[in-house]
Amino acid sequence: MRLGLVLWGWRSRFLPALSLRGLKTAPSQPRALVYEQHGEPARVLKLKDVELAELGDSGVHVKMLAAPINPSDINMIQGTYALLPDLPAVGGNEGVGQVMEIGSHVTSVKPGDWVIPVDAGLGTWRTDAVFSEEALVKLPANTPLLCAATLCVNPCTAYRMLSDFEALRPGDSIIQNAANSGVGQAVIQIAAAMGLKTINVIRDRPNLQELVDRLTSLGADHIITEEMLRKPEMKDLFKKVPKPQLALNCVGGKSATEMLRHLQHKGTMVTYGGMAKQPVTVPVSTLIFKDVKLRGFWMTQWKRNQVHNKDSLTGMILKLCDLIHKGQLTAPACTKVPLKDYAIALEASMQPYTSTKHILVM
Ligand SMILES: NC(=O)c1ccc[n+]([C@@H]2O[C@H](COP(=O)([O-])OP(=O)(O)OC[C@H]3O[C@@H](n4cnc5c(N)ncnc54)[C@H](OP(=O)(O)O)[C@@H]3O)[C@@H](O)[C@H]2O)c1
């Protein structure tokens, strides 16, 4: 539950008591989803009792509230991701927690604040942790739980890709595949807030219309299936919307090749995911006659590049929180799962056509 000082009187029965450096709660045994070797997540992860590190002068005791299961978390545990922690490690790279206690030198957060990780690798699938102050960003008050838990990876990725590769102006269009992914849903909403038109490619499925309706309600302008992307009828679409200057590729394989065919002259395709596990094939004519640019993006690298400039990260988080508070950015469709049921959640999150993000609640 969020701490609200104004509501302290009537809420005090339900909230932990506040002191300058700590929220007083009955101590409970910290637990974490730990893996000691790489492998299939449901097999190698174990929910274990763990010791909390000493708070020290610069530590921050955080009680985790909620943390999503993202594809990169799975790949990290499988040992196939570009960033692998030393083992044993705690799973999870993003999430939101509440500050319970701070060391005497900590100034940027206080007990009661909600915080998210600055970078990947913290291990967020746990009930409690002591993190360093530098590893955390404070969120504005009243950020909804699911938005907070899913903010620091996908919306940030969407925001950077829409901002950093092409000088897009209101009325311009972008195209993206896996438009129903967490990143894709953030792209739709942030692009709409920027006045951009989105062409959203998704895979066909039995409940297609339900998904189309949901993405439309987020602000998607055009939604097409992978099959439609290959059809000559696409030229009718481009009577209504300009050819995209930017393509965002989460999939690879044929899907990426087909998006490239529709890109504007000198446009850019940014690859940020490889869900089809197939390479990107570029038609020679697209390179020669359209001079398209092929780029890649990795949020982790962007954050590393800002290591001496934490303000750029906090500035982006504040802009995204502003969109959230204005109702222009919501969390992706989510299914909340208690931490103890992690194996079910992991299994479900690895199934195709789910269109929901599984969130572990602690
Ligand atoms: N580079 C970065 O900095 C960065 C940052 C964030 C995320 N990512 C990457 O972006 C990708 C999406 O992440 P997310 O959290 O948004 O994922 P998510 O919410 O779990 O969604 C996964 C998406 O991938 C699609 N998909 C799965 N298998 C596919 C296949 N074989 N062919 C085509 N589409 C397929 C799913 O479509 P269906 O519904 O049709 O199954 C869904 O749209 C992941 O690869 C992730 O690692 C990269």
Side-chain angles (χ1 to χ4, degrees):
M1 188 179 291
R2 195 77 201 261
L3 183 70
L5 284 176
V6 179
L7 302 174
W8 184 250
W10 69 266
R11 282 177 110 185
S12 59
R13 275 189 307 139
F14 308 105
L15 287 168
L18 177 76
S19 75
L20 203 56
R21 302 227 152 249
L23 290 180
K24 289 178 192 136
T25 53
S28 58
Q29 173 61 54
R31 288 179 306 157
L33 280 175
V34 180
Y35 57 108
E36 294 181 354
Q37 63 191 71
H38 294 296
E40 277 319 297
R43 186 174 58 80
V44 296
L45 277 169
K46 303 275 181 267
L47 187 55
K48 291 191 168 178
D49 289 351
V50 290
E51 290 298 314
L52 210 53
E54 287 290 316
L55 189 63
D57 288 334
S58 54
V60 179
H61 173 196
V62 176
K63 191 165 258 313
M64 291 304 299
L65 300 171
I69 300 175
N70 287 324
S72 55
D73 303 327
I74 303 285
N75 297 151
M76 205 178 251
I77 297 164
Q78 289 168 331
T80 58
Y81 198 60
L83 178 75
L84 297 177
D86 294 336
L87 300 182
V90 175
N93 289 291
E94 72 167 338
V96 61
Q98 184 174 39
V99 174
M100 303 304 289
E101 198 178 358
I102 55 174
S104 56
H105 294 172
V106 173
T107 54
S108 62
V109 296
K110 61 181 188 316
D113 287 343
W114 278 19
V115 287
I116 59 174
V118 167
D119 207 350
L122 269 196
T124 51
W125 297 346
R126 53 171 122 204
T127 59
D128 294 77
V130 171
F131 296 126
S132 75
E133 180 180 13
E134 292 71 39
L136 301 168
V137 180
K138 174 181 158 177
L139 290 184
N142 304 321
T143 307
L145 180 78
L146 295 178
C147 290
T150 56
L151 185 62
C152 76
V153 178
N154 291 340
C156 290
T157 300
Y159 179 83
R160 293 263 60 97
M161 294 194 299
L162 290 170
S163 308
D164 296 350
F165 291 90
E166 287 283 336
L168 299 168
R169 286 166 308 183
D172 288 344
S173 79
I174 66 122
I175 187 166
Q176 62 163 343
N177 54 20
N180 61 322
S181 66
V183 177
Q185 292 177 58
V187 164
I188 289 170
Q189 297 175 85
I190 297 168
M194 291 167 72
L196 304 172
K197 302 285 174 209
T198 55
I199 302 164
N200 299 282
V201 185
I202 53 176
R203 294 199 288 184
D204 200 1
R205 64 199 67 222
N207 55 348
L208 181 67
Q209 192 55 45
E210 206 179 291
L211 181 56
V212 169
D213 292 345
R214 187 149 62 74
L215 298 184
T216 305
S217 74
L218 294 180
D221 296 289
H222 303 280
I223 303 164
I224 56 175
T225 60
E226 296 270 358
E227 290 70 32
M228 173 68 185
L229 187 62
R230 290 179 203 123
K231 292 204 168 142
E233 288 83 347
M234 280 296 284
K235 66 177 185 309
D236 297 334
L237 176 66
F238 294 118
K239 289 177 188 156
K240 294 182 242 166
V241 63
K243 286 240 175 191
Q245 231 166 291
L246 181 68
L248 303 178
N249 173 33
C250 175
V251 175
K254 279 187 191 156
S255 176
T257 308
E258 294 300 330
M259 282 205 305
L260 271 173
R261 290 188 203 284
H262 301 297
L263 205 54
Q264 217 179 79
H265 194 81
K266 287 185 182 292
T268 302
M269 183 169 83
V270 181
T271 293
Y272 69 96
M275 294 304 297
K277 296 188 166 60
Q278 286 166 7
V280 173
T281 306
V282 185
V284 168
S285 59
T286 308
L287 287 172
I288 299 176
F289 302 119
K290 287 172 78 180
D291 193 15
V292 298
K293 297 182 280 298
L294 300 178
R295 300 287 305 273
F297 179 76
W298 190 28
M299 195 66 226
T300 301
Q301 188 60 51
W302 184 89
K303 286 178 179 169
R304 283 178 187 169
N305 295 347
Q306 314 298 316
V307 70
H308 299 301
N309 184 15
K310 199 175 171 187
D311 286 354
S312 59
L313 175 67
T314 46
M316 172 172 61
I317 297 286
L318 289 177
K319 276 185 194 156
L320 292 170
C321 287
D322 188 43
L323 290 181
I324 291 169
H325 290 128
K326 285 180 185 156
Q328 292 177 300
L329 178 62
T330 58
C334 290
T335 304
K336 290 198 255 179
V337 182
L339 181 64
K340 69 176 173 46
D341 295 331
Y342 68 92
I344 299 168
L346 284 165
E347 206 57 51
S349 72
M350 291 167 71
Q351 299 308 313
Y353 310 114
T354 56
S355 298
T356 182
K357 193 148 288 285
H358 290 81
I359 311 281
L360 297 171
V361 284
M362 314 312 173

